[in-house]
Amino acid sequence: MDATFWALISLIIFLAILAYLKVPGMIGKSLDDRAHRIKNELEEARKLREDAQQLLAEYQRKRQEAEQEAKDLVAAAKRESKQIVAEAKQKTEEYVARRTELAEQKIAQAERDAVSEVRALAVDVAVAAASRILADKVDAKTGGDLFKSSVTEVKSKLN
């Protein structure tokens, strides 16, 4: 018998021992377990991917909301600043108008006071001039007579 025959016989015995010990079933079970484990890992990875996509969508939505809120705040701030500027301008114009009117009133009052002062001064000058003229023309006796008649007239009016 030749060596090839004995190699064939050894191979058949080896395969029989493997079949008797149920090695192919163990290998199949091991492969099935590994396939099941891989399937579970793939399923878990798919779930994690879906969760990640949901989180990404939620964060994008929140980012868009935040951007919109920021735009709204900026727009509101611009409107408010324009309103404040308009109010300040109006108040400034009103203040200037009031101050102008007050200044005009003060100027008018100063003019009236100046005119009154000039009139009073003119009256004082006229009285002084008339006093000098009368003093020069009226003698002492006529002045005394005038004084007595004025006192009498005042007494009669007071009674």
Side-chain angles (χ1 to χ4, degrees):
M1 303 224 153
D2 127 25
T4 307
F5 175 73
W6 287 113
L8 179 63
I9 296 284
S10 303
L11 181 62
I12 292 173
I13 291 173
F14 177 72
L15 290 175
I17 290 173
L18 285 178
Y20 177 76
L21 293 176
K22 298 182 183 174
V23 171
M26 290 178 10
I27 291 175
K29 184 180 180 209
S30 173
L31 289 174
D32 287 344
D33 288 346
R34 184 167 181 211
H36 184 65
R37 217 175 36 245
I38 290 172
K39 183 180 176 185
N40 287 343
E41 287 176 2
L42 287 174
E43 182 66 27
E44 186 177 336
R46 184 187 61 77
K47 286 181 184 178
L48 287 174
R49 182 173 174 252
E50 288 175 359
D51 290 346
Q53 285 177 338
Q54 288 176 352
L55 281 174
L56 177 63
E58 183 179 339
Y59 283 126
Q60 287 176 342
R61 181 184 53 80
K62 286 183 180 179
R63 180 185 55 85
Q64 288 174 347
E65 288 175 359
E67 286 176 356
Q68 185 61 41
E69 186 176 340
K71 287 178 185 177
D72 293 344
L73 286 173
V74 168
K78 284 182 181 178
R79 282 192 308 270
E80 189 173 329
S81 67
K82 285 181 182 178
Q83 182 180 4
I84 289 172
V85 167
E87 287 176 5
K89 184 177 179 182
Q90 179 185 2
K91 286 181 181 179
T92 301
E93 289 172 356
E94 289 173 359
Y95 176 75
V96 167
R98 281 194 312 268
R99 296 297 290 183
T100 302
E101 184 179 339
L102 184 62
E104 289 173 354
Q105 288 175 357
K106 285 183 178 180
I107 290 170
Q109 182 62 41
E111 286 176 354
R112 287 190 297 269
D113 291 346
V115 167
S116 297
E117 203 173 303
V118 167
R119 284 182 183 160
L121 186 59
V123 167
D124 289 344
V125 168
V127 167
S131 298
R132 282 188 193 150
I133 291 173
L134 285 176
D136 290 345
K137 289 189 177 185
V138 175
D139 60 354
K141 184 178 185 262
T142 309
D145 291 339
L146 282 174
F147 179 73
K148 285 181 185 176
S149 67
S150 296
V151 169
T152 316
E153 187 179 328
V154 169
K155 282 183 183 179
S156 66
K157 287 186 179 178
L158 287 177
N159 290 331

